[in-house]
Amino acid sequence: MTIKEVGETYGVSGDTLRYYERVGMIPPVKRTAGGIRDYDETAVRWVELAVCMRNAGLPVEAIIEYVRLYEMGDETIPARLALLREQREHLYEQTRRIDETLARLDYQISRYEVAEKTGHLTFDKNKCESGMPAGTAEK
């Protein structure tokens, strides 16, 4: 596949793909005799992994380290496993914070929906989800 085809398939630009290769987020891509990148099935799978990991919020450095370890061979399996577990824990924490924020937004929305019907905005004094300290009244 050409860089354009891969970019269109995964929704990234050619510049992004070249960057991924340059910094080591994907292994070097084979080239044609004319020097054009030729993405084979293996290269495409690496692109897919890199795009997926970036979309999930993994840092570039973690992806680079994973590729570096992979290229060193099977003796790095324990290190790769540890890296993946660490990144998973970061994602779980991020998900927890997002869920907490969603719960706060849901509470805010519910109070505004009631206010829209009644003309009066109130918050439960025992809930911090209002985005204001407990006991604070909205004016």
Side-chain angles (χ1 to χ4, degrees):
M1 290 179 79
T2 66
I3 196 167
K4 181 179 180 186
E5 292 168 329
V6 173
E8 288 173 354
T9 300
Y10 293 100
V12 295
S13 69
D15 287 341
T16 298
L17 291 170
R18 285 185 285 276
Y19 169 76
Y20 283 2
E21 185 179 354
R22 186 175 69 251
V23 300
M25 287 178 61
I26 62 173
V29 177
K30 294 176 186 167
R31 308 273 183 133
T32 66
I36 305 295
R37 286 174 177 83
D38 185 19
Y39 290 81
D40 61 13
E41 185 178 331
T42 299
V44 169
R45 284 197 313 258
W46 277 109
V47 169
E48 183 177 2
L49 178 67
V51 169
C52 176
M53 295 297 132
R54 284 301 294 145
N55 287 342
L58 268 69
V60 169
E61 295 79 12
I63 300 168
I64 293 169
E65 179 65 6
Y66 178 83
V67 172
R68 188 185 71 76
L69 290 168
Y70 179 86
E71 290 178 328
M72 292 172 66
D74 286 350
E75 65 272 8
T76 67
I77 286 174
R80 284 183 269 160
L81 178 59
L83 184 141
L84 293 172
R85 284 180 171 158
E86 179 183 343
Q87 293 308 311
R88 180 182 61 188
E89 287 308 310
H90 289 302
L91 287 174
Y92 279 140
E93 177 59 24
Q94 183 180 15
T95 300
R96 186 196 63 72
R97 288 191 308 268
I98 289 169
D99 288 344
E100 183 179 285
T101 301
L102 283 170
R104 288 175 179 228
L105 284 171
D106 287 343
Y107 178 75
Q108 287 279 87
I109 289 167
S110 74
R111 301 316 309 151
Y112 277 92
E113 288 172 342
V114 169
E116 189 174 51
K117 292 176 185 172
T118 65
H120 185 68
L121 181 62
T122 60
F123 292 100
D124 183 335
K125 290 181 181 180
N126 297 320
K127 290 195 176 261
C128 294
E129 288 89 358
S130 68
M132 298 181 297
T136 303
E138 178 141 332
K139 302 202 183 222

